Amino acid sequence: MYEGKARAYTNIALIKYWGKKDEELILPMNNSLSLTLDGFYTETSVIFAEEFSQDEFFLDGIKQNAAATQKVSRFLSLVRQQADCSLYAKVTSKNFVPTAAGLASSASGLAALAGACNEALQMNLSEKDLSRLARRGSGSACRSIFGGFVEWEKGISDATSFAQPIASDHWEDELAMIFILINDQQKDISSRDGMKRTVATSSFYPGWLDSVDEDLQKIKEAIQKKDFQGLGEIAEGNALKMHGTTLAAVPPFTYWSPQSLTAMNMVRSIRNDGLPCYFTMDAGPNVKVLCERKNAAAIVEQLQTVFDSGQLVTAYAGPGIQTFKGADK
Ligand code: DP6
């Protein structure tokens, strides 16, 4: 029996990963850049044992159905191949996120699974190779191996596509991200399906690709200069461009709900009133507000005039993956 456990924190992209050039290897069309956060994480244990006759996956105490288990099983098969192991596994995951918020993240989930497997099977992967492995589970997971600001270098092959931390002199510790949790009952289009449809059909997609490298260069300069306005303006603009591409997909779609627009407008007005803050959004209606730590409480107070306090969660920069010997049974 081989067992291991890992904890990985979620990350939010400030320059988005949006589109794959290789679906099987999960090679992205563009580099992306994220901030790992402390507020939301996944803990995953894995046990490989002779006695198991199939893979099993438990999430938050509940045995998962065939579809959810298949995604995990596909990843385990990759691991088995790489580690030369033929045993089935039991995977037990717990998401530490506000409940019912639609925030369960594939980034923290697949990064934690990769880390737990690395520990259990004593694969002794370097951080770079662990990032490459996590990428095969979910693209954004490759960034959750590291803490703070992280860039995913798109690469041209399995060997060259991985994330690495960006030197920032710990500036991220002065920042915060406020999550505005919006539950809109809309049927979800996963990021995987959304980006696939966009790449295949959106006439705006080439415009996204044309401008993303420049955004990346500028945001890296802003990080080096600790220029919060620069960081926020580029991140907000990049998120809007990503979401713009979905409007020209066939059929078109959007992740925005009326409450998302309310939140975006509030962020603009709080900013115009003198408190610097900027929003970003991913493949769902929640809005994430980037601000300086010193202003977070005042911004939350403003947001509370419209949103319930239960909808607002403040997170700060978080660490890289942590692994543990043994497993939760
Ligand atoms: C909008 O990493 O969830 O959050 O690689 O298909 O698993 P797959 O997609 P995923 O996509 C994340 C997209 C995003 C932007 C980002 O995190 O960079």
Side-chain angles (χ1 to χ4, degrees):
M1 185 159 90
Y2 304 94
E3 48 184 47
K5 178 175 173 179
R7 175 194 288 183
Y9 294 78
T10 200
N11 71 77
I12 295 297
L14 303 178
I15 302 294
K16 304 296 181 187
Y17 147 49
W18 196 239
K20 297 179 181 64
K21 65 170 176 255
D22 187 318
E23 307 254 339
E24 173 61 25
L25 293 173
I26 311 203
L27 302 179
M29 288 284 207
N30 60 273
N31 287 24
S32 53
L33 185 146
S34 59
L35 182 61
T36 301
L37 297 173
D38 66 352
F40 312 98
Y41 58 93
T42 304
E43 280 184 2
T44 295
S45 291
V46 63
I47 303 172
F48 291 88
E50 303 265 2
E51 70 205 62
F52 300 146
S53 54
Q54 57 183 18
D55 293 326
E56 279 191 329
F57 176 36
F58 291 81
L59 179 58
D60 296 327
I62 298 166
K63 186 169 183 209
Q64 299 296 293
N65 65 18
T69 306
Q70 203 199 0
K71 195 172 171 193
V72 167
S73 209
R74 217 178 297 135
F75 184 78
L76 290 170
S77 296
L78 259 175
V79 167
R80 280 187 281 256
Q81 208 181 356
Q82 204 167 321
D84 200 15
C85 163
S86 57
L87 303 175
Y88 287 110
K90 177 177 169 188
V91 174
T92 311
S93 274
K94 191 161 164 35
N95 276 325
F96 293 80
V97 295
T99 45
L103 271 180
S105 140
S106 62
S108 59
L110 271 298
L113 180 58
C117 290
N118 182 36
E119 184 65 42
L121 299 177
Q122 311 236 317
M123 295 166 79
N124 297 319
L125 297 178
S126 63
E127 286 186 320
K128 170 180 146 179
D129 288 338
L130 187 57
S131 174
R132 289 175 47 231
L133 178 63
R135 190 199 80 229
R136 299 291 303 272
S138 183
S140 54
C142 78
R143 299 186 308 238
S144 276
I145 303 305
F146 303 99
F149 288 113
V150 179
E151 180 177 359
W152 175 9
E153 166 62 49
K154 66 180 191 253
I156 49 164
S157 61
D158 178 40
T160 53
S161 186
F162 54 87
Q164 44 196 342
I166 293 180
S168 60
D169 190 24
H170 299 291
W171 183 46
E172 65 274 16
D173 295 339
E174 292 168 36
L175 306 179
M177 197 171 269
I178 303 161
F179 285 65
I180 307 177
L181 307 175
I182 292 168
N183 207 337
D184 71 343
Q185 315 287 321
Q186 202 171 289
K187 194 177 171 302
D188 292 345
I189 300 174
S190 69
S191 39
R192 188 159 293 187
D193 293 344
M195 68 174 83
K196 187 173 177 181
R197 189 193 299 177
T198 303
V199 172
T201 65
S202 174
S203 58
F204 293 174
Y205 192 72
W208 161 260
L209 281 185
D210 282 349
S211 66
V212 72
D213 283 347
E214 194 182 330
D215 285 353
L216 188 78
Q217 285 321 311
K218 284 194 183 148
I219 211 161
K220 283 161 80 171
E221 276 165 38
I223 292 169
Q224 294 319 314
K225 288 193 235 150
K226 304 186 183 181
D227 165 13
F228 181 71
Q229 184 179 342
L231 183 85
E233 283 178 355
I234 297 154
E236 188 174 293
N238 185 268
L240 286 168
K241 272 188 267 189
M242 178 207 117
H243 285 270
T245 63
T246 70
L247 298 178
V250 184
F253 65 102
T254 183
Y255 292 110
W256 297 1
S257 73
Q259 280 216 60
S260 316
L261 286 164
T262 302
M264 288 188 252
N265 282 333
M266 271 206 84
V267 169
R268 291 190 187 100
S269 102
I270 294 170
R271 178 161 86 216
N272 292 339
D273 289 346
L275 276 177
C277 55
Y278 298 86
F279 60 79
T280 186
M281 284 182 69
D282 295 293
N286 298 318
V287 174
K288 294 120 193 176
V289 185
L290 182 64
C291 65
E292 290 161 290
R293 188 186 262 262
K294 63 180 186 212
N295 293 327
I299 292 167
V300 167
E301 200 174 306
Q302 292 291 312
L303 292 169
Q304 274 172 349
T305 60
V306 170
F307 297 98
D308 292 343
S309 49
Q311 288 180 276
L312 303 170
V313 181
T314 305
Y316 303 101
I321 193 164
Q322 298 157 357
T323 52
F324 311 91
K325 297 220 178 313
D328 294 337
K329 306 281 176 359

